Amino acid sequence: MKNTAILLISCPDQRGLVATIAEFLYRHNANILHADQHQDAELKLFLMRVEWDLADFQLDLDAFSQHFAPIAERFEMDWRLALSGNRPKLAIFVSRYDHCLADLLYRHQAGELHCDIPLIVSNHTDTRWLAEAHNIPFQHIAIHKDAKAEAEKDQLALLRHEHVDFIVLARYMQVLSPEFIRHYPNRIINIHHSFLPAFHGAKPYHRAFERGVKLIGATSHYVTEVLDDGPIIEQDVARISHRDQIGDLIQKGADLEKIVLSRAVRWHIESRILLYANKTVVFD
Amino acid sequence: MKNTAILLISCPDQRGLVATIAEFLYRHNANILHADQHQDAELKLFLMRVEWDLADFQLDLDAFSQHFAPIAERFEMDWRLALSGNRPKLAIFVSRYDHCLADLLYRHQAGELHCDIPLIVSNHTDTRWLAEAHNIPFQHIAIHKDAKAEAEKDQLALLRHEHVDFIVLARYMQVLSPEFIRHYPNRIINIHHSFLPAFHGAKPYHRAFERGVKLIGATSHYVTEVLDDGPIIEQDVARISHRDQIGDLIQKGADLEKIVLSRAVRWHIESRILLYANKTVVFD
Amino acid sequence: MKNTAILLISCPDQRGLVATIAEFLYRHNANILHADQHQDAELKLFLMRVEWDLADFQLDLDAFSQHFAPIAERFEMDWRLALSGNRPKLAIFVSRYDHCLADLLYRHQAGELHCDIPLIVSNHTDTRWLAEAHNIPFQHIAIHKDAKAEAEKDQLALLRHEHVDFIVLARYMQVLSPEFIRHYPNRIINIHHSFLPAFHGAKPYHRAFERGVKLIGATSHYVTEVLDDGPIIEQDVARISHRDQIGDLIQKGADLEKIVLSRAVRWHIESRILLYANKTVVFD
Amino acid sequence: MKNTAILLISCPDQRGLVATIAEFLYRHNANILHADQHQDAELKLFLMRVEWDLADFQLDLDAFSQHFAPIAERFEMDWRLALSGNRPKLAIFVSRYDHCLADLLYRHQAGELHCDIPLIVSNHTDTRWLAEAHNIPFQHIAIHKDAKAEAEKDQLALLRHEHVDFIVLARYMQVLSPEFIRHYPNRIINIHHSFLPAFHGAKPYHRAFERGVKLIGATSHYVTEVLDDGPIIEQDVARISHRDQIGDLIQKGADLEKIVLSRAVRWHIESRILLYANKTVVFD
């Protein structure tokens, strides 16, 4: 794999943006590998992802910020630089359902996810064997109804200790507090089932079955303080017929959740996702 | 096409049902072409669709009811007999959006829909040309805010006059009154957009766009007195990305609506749909 | 899970078939849970799958064959009885690609596949760790170019010793000899990539990439003596764009292969597949 | 709709390309609305589509070529400029199957296809009524086995007379000669069915049915001298089960063909397709 840099930009749309950015990269001899941009006509917003080979790049990355600052200021850019050589550190939170965890661990082992996983946190011990089979540290932090804040404190301490960059809720059945979420803004990825029409409350597969839906879906999104309402990263559906019993719905749903979550995690790792106005642009 | 009879049955599940029905048909020399059944284990319900060739059938269809009555009573059956030779009469209701109407008329002309269409009703005149191009009678019944009941009366008179069997709302933008619906129970098919998550109220495509959904969907259902909450017949989705503008969403949505509605209409015509507990079984 | 029996029948289509089978089951007090049938109008063939609860069934299963024989003879049936209580024994063959193996082992562990796996056979040792993590016996049988027959003999000995019922080729990259296949007719399931148009020969993903296909697919089928031409059990596709590099194609292909193969294996285990005229009916 | 210009470029990949193009557009005050690019790493090729608002553009379009020439030469560009204000002229060729024709005419009427259709050519008269319902000139040119060249001459004369820009074969069942194709290189779009595995020769739906495929597909491509082997523009599939009879396959296939062809035609009209190495990049 090539050693690359990825520049992510969002700013008010105006003329000269692309010319200026492209000129800056060209001046420092960047060999652009991928470039993608998007304009939101209504919000007059410009978003860009550009990735280049670091092989012949003539600017010291430590000095990038300093050199790029005048451009960033002129165009009021919100920007960040990601390096393919820096493997982000992922912590996986899980409860009892293990299908998403198993899928992520397999993909990690297979080299599909370019990240490190220094930590699995669970409020149960059911999945410890999976963590051990993949040689990933497993931490059991029980959640007691009256001591949730305490548990979150312990979780945060572990996350800090491992310098975790982002968190994946792989069917973690506890609601995180706003305080917790604020520590990892737009860096917590969740997966949940989705239906047409939507069902709220408990046992959604049972309710979808009763309603006779012909499709079930799954949605992966960033976690914000409003439950299940953060920016959507990916969605997919599977077909259902009257021949499918509740058990079939749950199994098809689990397969969907695995696929949808793993796509979202991969895109996050590869710095393909830009956020604005509570939605995402995925530069795939 | 063969001349066939279709028997649709729903009743409490119990032993001996299939044996009794199959024996009855065999005794009268029915050549079964298709048979499909479904059991709802929770509700202990049995549903069946059986279709046979009328060529060698030795029971006069006029006497079918009388001969089948003892079986029906014994098993407390809800049943009906449909004949492929009887083309049901369809009335299409439409407002201004014409994509579903054009699609249904094309399919009818192409021989895909084995029904007669004696009537198109619209509260606008925009689609008159389409009706005329396909030689289908078009009736314009304007809907005035304060005279909706009057307009429905006129519609019902037309429907009765044409002996209409079922109605398709091909993007008909008026809400039908419960009184109207009661005249055609489970015989009015509607199509509407569906989203994950669901959006209520006006301009749903705009709201889906703002929310950054990655899929849009369409649902066809029978109309009941609870708006958009009748038994679902069919659903499908299309993929959306940030590259799709609102216009693209609307166009992809229109394509979905056509496909989903036409499937629902065809299944209804072919007596493939059984209803129970506010949901459908589609014997496809 | 209920203790059930599944009767699979294929025979020339004729009147009285369903009546006779249903009467037989009713006479012995079978509580039918699922029944599905299919008629091939052109070949005049009848296929049926019927599953009933054994709880109140009044016929000793050891005597089933004897009691059912007259019916089977009369209708020239090809039939077999499967019992949900008998977990079939599966051997998995694998080479180096481990995505299908890992997926099957996870699903087995999660209780999705109601079978026993007494044996994993590989011509490499790369996947031994996976077998060990799941506590499944792993046998390495190297394939030497000039001693393939010998290797197959060893494989067959292992299969016999474990009383294996069916084999899944989870990306096993060796061609099995016709002799080997004859030991497990319609009991070897394979998975391979599929493209529109088709590509033969080596490096198909590279050729699909060069050809600029917009879809890639996977097909699971029973292995017959004609390579990759056995009865198709399941197929699916994934969407590709010019943004996908060869690595993306291979990964999307691997995800497809897992899903498609696991469906085929589950249907086989649940006795949902009937074969005729080199094709399958899947009673899902 | 905005009045825009679209610049399509393909050239050897090298540094400074984007900077130079962006600077050129910026210098002439172009307000870029969309820009998309693609790099083929193996072939070291750069492809770009950039669209800008002409409202404030300060370069006379007649002089564009002259001003852009130095850049084009320096980077050895293959390029062209398209204007959204120029509606391309489309001729539709059709035989007897009318589903694709009806779909294209409906979409054209509905404003989905920003082109003019001055001509429908058919070797049959079955679809004349459709052309007339949409007020499109219809020309019947019979194809006699021994006088095919003559017929093509007549077709070419009509195309020239109407200044046709591109041709859509909407299920036109005649093979065009290489001579004919050379007049419209990469400007003839075809649609055909696709299967996994592929079937060659006559009655493909019948053969797919016999083979028991679980998916059927459709492919739209540019016509080249090698039959059905031109650059693929779009593909899609539909799911099939044993319950689908040949008639169902044909109908599902027809629905697919309509959708896939209409996408390809729209992308062509909107100058979204770039060709290289016998494949397409679709900047959607």
Side-chain angles (χ1 to χ4, degrees), chain D:
Chain D
M1 237 175 63
K2 279 176 177 163
N3 195 17
T4 66
I6 298 152
L7 181 61
L8 294 161
I9 296 169
S10 78
C11 63
D13 194 14
Q14 56 186 293
R15 279 167 217 183
L17 258 168
V18 177
T20 306
I21 297 164
E23 190 279 330
F24 173 83
L25 291 172
Y26 179 48
R27 196 193 328 146
H28 297 292
N29 207 39
N31 182 15
I32 295 175
L33 300 173
H34 301 287
D36 210 343
Q37 64 189 74
H38 179 65
Q39 278 143 297
D40 188 302
E42 230 150 311
L43 302 181
K44 296 188 193 311
L45 216 63
F46 173 87
L47 302 116
M48 188 178 204
R49 180 189 187 273
V50 56
E51 181 170 6
W52 65 93
D53 197 335
L54 286 174
D56 304 318
F57 194 50
Q58 291 169 352
L59 183 61
D60 188 354
L61 289 177
D62 294 333
F64 186 92
S65 183
Q66 187 193 321
H67 283 79
F68 192 63
I71 293 173
E73 266 166 49
R74 175 178 154 208
F75 290 101
E76 299 170 74
M77 287 179 183
D78 193 2
W79 69 279
R80 72 187 175 84
L81 190 74
L83 303 177
S84 70
N86 286 0
R87 290 168 70 89
K89 287 184 189 354
L90 159 64
I92 304 177
F93 279 40
V94 66
S95 291
R96 279 193 158 133
Y97 296 121
D98 63 2
H99 52 282
C100 285
L101 176 66
D103 187 66
L104 290 172
L105 293 181
Y106 170 76
R107 290 178 193 277
H108 182 251
Q109 180 117 18
E112 285 181 26
L113 303 177
H114 302 294
C115 67
D116 292 327
I117 309 181
L119 184 63
I120 294 171
V121 174
S122 182
N123 54 333
H124 295 283
T125 55
D126 307 54
T127 60
R128 188 190 295 273
W129 75 275
L130 255 171
E132 284 173 359
H134 289 270
N135 294 312
I136 308 283
F138 176 92
Q139 294 285 352
H140 174 230
I141 297 182
I143 308 285
H144 300 290
K145 269 211 164 159
D146 310 327
K148 217 166 161 175
E150 203 112 331
E152 286 198 345
K153 231 188 195 169
D154 292 349
Q155 292 171 341
L156 285 168
L158 282 170
L159 294 168
R160 262 190 307 267
H161 184 260
E162 298 294 346
H163 303 286
V164 160
D165 293 300
F166 74 113
I167 299 166
V168 171
L169 307 182
R171 299 288 285 152
Y172 182 65
M173 308 304 276
Q174 299 285 327
V175 177
L176 298 172
S177 72
E179 290 73 35
F180 186 101
I181 293 165
R182 252 171 252 141
H183 283 90
Y184 294 90
N186 296 325
R187 291 194 285 148
I188 307 175
I189 297 175
N190 190 26
I191 180 74
H192 69 78
H193 42 72
S194 308
F195 301 98
L196 306 153
F199 302 105
H200 297 291
K203 297 216 166 192
Y205 284 107
H206 287 73
R207 296 194 54 207
F209 178 75
E210 281 161 22
R211 189 68 182 77
V213 297
K214 307 300 184 190
L215 294 173
I216 57 169
T219 296
S220 183
H221 64 100
Y222 285 112
V223 175
T224 56
E225 298 180 21
V226 182
L227 188 64
D228 291 347
D229 202 39
I232 296 169
I233 305 170
E234 173 64 340
Q235 302 185 296
D236 215 337
V237 295
R239 188 155 276 274
I240 295 296
S241 87
H242 63 273
R243 290 177 201 94
D244 291 294
Q245 298 303 304
I246 288 175
D248 300 309
L249 264 70
I250 290 172
Q251 184 179 318
K252 288 189 177 182
D255 274 355
L256 267 180
E257 289 167 4
K258 287 192 286 193
I259 290 276
V260 170
L261 180 59
S262 74
R263 283 186 205 139
V265 172
R266 194 155 53 85
W267 292 335
H268 181 92
I269 290 169
E270 297 176 357
S271 300
R272 297 190 174 281
I273 311 173
L274 267 170
L275 281 142
Y276 76 97
N278 204 36
K279 67 182 183 182
T280 66
V281 166
V282 177
F283 288 125
D284 58 342

Side-chain angles (χ1 to χ4, degrees), chain A residues 34 36 98-99 102-103 106-107 109 112 129-130 133-134 243 245 248 251 255 258-259 262 266 284, chain C residues 34 36 98-99 102-103 106-107 109 112 129-130 133-134 243 245 248 251 255 258-259 266 284:
Chain A
H34 301 287
D36 210 343
D98 64 2
H99 54 280
D103 186 67
Y106 170 76
R107 289 178 193 278
Q109 180 118 19
E112 285 180 27
W129 75 273
L130 256 170
H134 289 271
R243 290 177 201 93
Q245 297 303 303
D248 301 308
Q251 185 178 319
D255 274 354
K258 288 192 284 193
I259 290 275
S262 74
R266 193 154 53 84
D284 57 343
Chain C
H34 301 286
D36 211 342
D98 63 2
H99 53 281
D103 186 67
Y106 170 75
R107 290 177 192 277
Q109 180 118 17
E112 286 180 26
W129 75 274
L130 255 170
H134 289 271
R243 290 177 202 94
Q245 297 303 303
D248 300 309
Q251 185 179 319
D255 274 355
K258 288 192 284 193
I259 290 274
R266 192 155 53 86
D284 57 342

Side-chain angles (χ1 to χ4, degrees), chain B residues 72-248:
Chain B
E73 268 165 47
R74 176 179 153 208
F75 291 101
E76 298 170 73
M77 285 177 183
D78 192 3
W79 68 278
R80 71 186 177 85
L81 190 74
L83 303 176
S84 72
N86 285 0
R87 290 168 69 90
K89 287 184 188 358
L90 159 63
I92 304 178
F93 279 40
V94 67
S95 292
R96 278 191 159 133
Y97 295 121
D98 64 2
H99 53 281
C100 286
L101 176 66
D103 187 66
L104 290 172
L105 293 180
Y106 170 75
R107 290 178 192 277
H108 182 251
Q109 180 118 18
E112 285 180 27
L113 302 176
H114 302 294
C115 66
D116 292 328
I117 308 180
L119 184 62
I120 294 170
V121 174
S122 182
N123 53 332
H124 294 281
T125 55
D126 309 53
T127 61
R128 188 190 293 277
W129 76 274
L130 256 171
E132 284 172 358
H134 288 272
N135 294 312
I136 308 283
F138 178 92
Q139 295 285 351
H140 173 231
I141 298 182
I143 309 284
H144 301 292
K145 268 208 163 160
D146 310 327
K148 217 167 162 174
E150 204 113 328
E152 285 198 347
K153 231 188 195 169
D154 293 348
Q155 292 171 342
L156 285 168
L158 282 170
L159 294 169
R160 263 192 306 268
H161 185 261
E162 297 295 345
H163 304 284
V164 160
D165 293 300
F166 75 114
I167 299 166
V168 170
L169 307 182
R171 301 286 287 152
Y172 181 65
M173 308 305 274
Q174 299 285 326
V175 177
L176 297 172
S177 73
E179 290 73 37
F180 186 102
I181 294 166
R182 254 173 249 143
H183 281 91
Y184 293 90
N186 296 325
R187 292 194 285 150
I188 308 176
I189 297 174
N190 190 28
I191 179 76
H192 68 79
H193 42 73
S194 309
F195 300 98
L196 306 153
F199 301 106
H200 297 291
K203 296 216 167 191
Y205 284 108
H206 287 74
R207 295 193 54 207
F209 178 75
E210 280 161 22
R211 188 69 182 75
V213 298
K214 307 300 185 189
L215 294 174
I216 57 169
T219 296
S220 182
H221 65 98
Y222 284 112
V223 175
T224 57
E225 299 180 22
V226 182
L227 188 64
D228 290 348
D229 202 40
I232 295 169
I233 306 171
E234 172 65 339
Q235 302 185 295
D236 215 337
V237 295
R239 189 155 275 276
I240 297 297
S241 87
H242 63 274
R243 289 177 203 94
D244 290 295
Q245 298 304 302
I246 288 176
D248 299 309

